């Protein structure tokens, strides 16, 4: 069976949503979906301020651009606010990147890097997953 390699994906870790106004978005999700703010963090290297929200057992990450010439800033300019990425939690991020490259997936990151909220991350190009930006995350 093609692509039947053993994967170490634990499941969906969070959904990422690009927003224009982080405070307004947090307030809306708290009011509409009884979300609870888990944390808030700025990552200057990526030009993003993020909020991690817990909704029931699941997690949502709201992303606001620190400027127009950042990855999220360019995303907002092209597409407007909305769904940005799906994050999958993996056991061994380096091994998973090797596996995906072996499967022919186009990788944005070939090596893990420091992400938000103490996670190690790497991104997979949307072309590999039918137009959806995928993020792999692993606990450090």
């Amino acid at each position: 069976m093609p692509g039947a390699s053993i994967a170490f994906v634990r499941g969906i870790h969070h959904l990422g949503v690009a927003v224009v106004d982080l405070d307004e978005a947090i307030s809306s999700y708290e009011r509409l979906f009884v979300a609870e703010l888990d944390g808030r963090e700025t990552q200057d290297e990526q030009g993003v301020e993020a909020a991690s929200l817990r909704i029931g057992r699941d997690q949502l990450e709201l992303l606001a651009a620190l400027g127009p010439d950042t990855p999220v800033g360019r995303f907002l300019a092209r597409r407007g606010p909305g769904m940005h990425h799906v994050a999958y939690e993996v056991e061994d991020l380096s091994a998973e990147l090797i596996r995906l490259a072996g499967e022919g997936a186009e990788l944005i990151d070939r090596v893990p890097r420091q992400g938000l909220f103490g996670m190690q991350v790497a991104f997979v190009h949307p072309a590999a997953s039918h137009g959806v930006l995928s993020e792999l995350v692993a606990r450090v």
Side-chain angles (χ1 to χ4, degrees):
M1 177 174 178
S5 303
I6 295 174
F8 298 99
V9 176
R10 292 180 172 170
I12 294 175
H13 183 268
H14 68 266
L15 301 177
V17 177
V19 301
V20 174
D21 183 319
L22 189 58
D23 291 322
E24 180 184 340
I26 292 168
S27 177
S28 293
Y29 278 92
E30 286 174 334
R31 187 180 76 254
L32 297 174
F33 304 110
V34 196
E36 295 179 26
L37 182 64
D38 270 349
R40 191 168 175 159
E41 186 174 311
T42 298
Q43 192 176 56
D44 292 323
E45 310 82 57
Q46 290 296 309
V48 68
E49 183 178 9
S52 176
L53 301 174
R54 175 79 46 204
I55 301 176
R57 294 176 300 182
D58 299 311
Q59 192 134 352
L60 185 68
E61 187 176 88
L62 302 177
L63 306 162
L66 295 179
D69 195 28
T70 63
V72 173
R74 289 188 295 274
F75 178 92
L76 287 166
R78 270 191 328 271
R79 298 185 181 176
M83 185 68 174
H84 183 263
H85 68 270
V86 177
Y88 301 92
E89 186 171 357
V90 299
E91 291 179 22
D92 183 333
L93 187 49
S94 294
E96 194 62 18
L97 289 170
I98 291 167
R99 187 189 72 77
L100 288 170
E103 292 288 341
E106 184 178 345
L107 304 177
I108 293 172
D109 297 304
R110 294 204 165 272
V111 296
R113 59 185 162 97
Q114 183 60 44
L116 292 162
F117 308 109
M119 302 293 282
Q120 198 177 40
V121 304
F123 284 89
V124 179
H125 195 278
S129 50
H130 306 275
V132 178
L133 178 63
S134 297
E135 180 183 23
L136 303 178
V137 302
R139 299 181 195 284
V140 194

